[in-house]
Amino acid sequence: MSRVRTFVGIDIDKPIRDRLVSLQTNLGRAGVEVKWVEAHNLHLTLLFLGEVDERQLIDVCRAVAGACAARPAFPLSVETVGCFPNPRRPRVLWAGVGAGAEEVVALHAALEPPLLALGCYRKEDRLYTPHFTLGRVKSEDAPTDALAALLVKKASWHAGEMQVREVLVMSSEMSSKGPEYVVLSRAKLAPS
């Protein structure tokens, strides 16, 4: 029985991807060692399913398609920059969602029940917060004052707006170069 590391997410268009990469470069000037997300892997995760039995993937794709067909397409803006858990101890650097955040949260909520019913998703304890992971700070002991100051300066950063028309079911395979993502299915949202 083969298992596939799987997640459900939203892809981004090239102009926004390019601005996110530029932001990564800018934040990299703070001198903190960060494992940056590769440009082609930047996306917004709706749900991380983890290891899914290969035989269940078709049911996962159908469940996602069914949940998405009932939701209208929507505009999404990528803006603001921050970190988890806080600027004094940044672990994950992210770009946020402005317009469309409510729709993303509603989409996440619509996807949970059918995937929970399939038994291939475990509800997370923390509240879902839509964001684009930019990178992970490598050292817990590194001085991060310059990075924290840069995050404050970039708080009103804005990458632009795009139309979300589909949701992707993706596999993630680890390689020596990092994760390799493959689109397993595309679930169309209803025309807005």
Side-chain angles (χ1 to χ4, degrees):
M1 167 171 82
S2 181
R3 299 187 73 73
V4 180
R5 189 174 166 89
T6 309
F7 66 91
V8 180
I10 295 172
D11 200 7
I12 48 177
D13 62 19
K14 186 174 178 350
I16 289 177
R17 184 178 311 278
D18 291 347
R19 288 183 197 107
L20 287 171
V21 170
S22 177
L23 176 63
Q24 288 174 320
T25 301
N26 199 296
L27 293 175
R29 294 187 183 115
V32 175
E33 197 175 355
V34 176
K35 170 68 176 119
W36 297 106
V37 174
E38 297 287 332
H40 62 278
N41 285 344
L42 289 165
H43 67 279
L44 186 139
T45 300
L46 286 163
L47 295 110
F48 178 72
L49 306 181
E51 302 290 328
V52 174
D53 184 324
E54 194 172 33
R55 294 171 298 190
Q56 271 193 302
L57 287 176
I58 195 153
D59 294 330
V60 167
C61 294
R62 280 188 190 131
V64 171
C68 289
R71 314 236 23 118
F74 59 93
L76 177 136
S77 67
V78 180
E79 57 190 74
T80 72
V81 180
C83 62
F84 298 131
N86 61 59
R88 283 185 320 254
R89 296 185 55 81
R91 293 291 151 256
V92 176
L93 305 177
W94 52 260
V97 175
E102 201 174 291
E103 289 88 344
V104 172
V105 170
L107 192 51
H108 173 271
L111 288 164
E112 273 190 327
L115 294 172
L116 283 166
L118 285 174
C120 62
Y121 173 68
R122 211 173 55 237
K123 195 172 175 88
E124 293 193 31
D125 293 333
R126 63 180 181 242
L127 193 64
Y128 174 71
T129 306
H131 66 280
F132 294 86
T133 298
L134 299 171
R136 289 176 169 73
V137 176
K138 285 185 174 183
S139 172
E140 291 193 23
D141 303 326
T144 57
D145 294 349
L147 179 60
L150 202 47
L151 289 171
V152 168
K153 273 174 76 173
K154 296 286 181 188
S156 60
W157 175 86
H158 195 276
E161 190 170 285
M162 58 176 257
Q163 192 72 12
V164 178
R165 293 184 177 90
E166 67 179 5
V167 170
L168 307 178
V169 177
M170 307 277 290
S171 70
S172 171
E173 197 171 300
M174 292 309 287
S175 74
S176 58
K177 296 177 184 171
E180 298 286 331
Y181 298 156
V182 175
V183 177
L184 301 176
S185 73
R186 296 175 183 276
K188 300 292 181 197
L189 296 170
S192 53

